[in-house]
């Protein structure tokens, strides 16, 4: 796995939209791009998305098993969505989000 390679999907985007996104290096923050987790954050409006391949902690997010995690932050609260891949095992994944920031 080459974790130095990053791309974004923009279905239906015009050439201009793709060029604008490429020029804005601060729009999207890559939190992790490894074999353990792929995670990004968009500082404004505030969603963070992560695909964990195994139990791990990335920033303020911790999972106990492989899971997809989406956090939507809107002051003063955050909404946590968890999707667990089908797997065999006695316990489902749990996730924690610490703090409103990251």
């Amino acid at each position: 796995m080459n974790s130095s390679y990053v791309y974004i999907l923009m279905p239906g985007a015009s050439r201009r939209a793709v060029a604008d996104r490429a020029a804005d290096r601060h729009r999207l923050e890559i939190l992790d791009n490894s074999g353990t987790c792929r995670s990004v954050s968009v500082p404004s409006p505030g969603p963070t998305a992560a695909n964990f391949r195994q139990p791990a902690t990335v920033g303020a997010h911790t999972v106990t098993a492989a899971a997809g995690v989406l956090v939507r932050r809107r002051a003063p609260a955050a909404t946590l969505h968890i999707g667990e891949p089908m797997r065999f095992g006695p316990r489902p994944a749990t996730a924690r989000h610490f703090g409103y920031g990251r």
Side-chain angles (χ1 to χ4, degrees), residues 9-101:
L9 299 177
M10 297 179 62
S14 67
R15 287 179 187 241
R16 169 82 184 206
V18 172
D20 289 348
R21 178 63 53 90
D24 187 358
R25 301 271 183 202
H26 302 289
R27 168 105 170 105
L28 179 78
E29 180 182 359
I30 298 168
L31 303 175
D32 194 6
N33 187 26
S34 68
T36 300
C37 180
R38 308 281 178 146
S39 180
V40 297
S41 177
V42 180
S44 177
T48 298
N51 183 26
F52 289 89
R53 296 176 183 249
Q54 62 192 44
T57 296
V58 172
H61 306 93
T62 299
V63 297
T64 60
V69 177
L70 175 64
V71 178
R72 293 177 181 257
R73 295 181 302 271
R74 291 191 181 101
T79 303
L80 175 65
H81 304 270
I82 303 170
E84 182 178 22
M86 291 191 59
R87 65 182 187 91
F88 296 97
R91 301 178 69 185
T94 58
R96 289 181 290 223
H97 169 74
F98 297 100
Y100 176 75

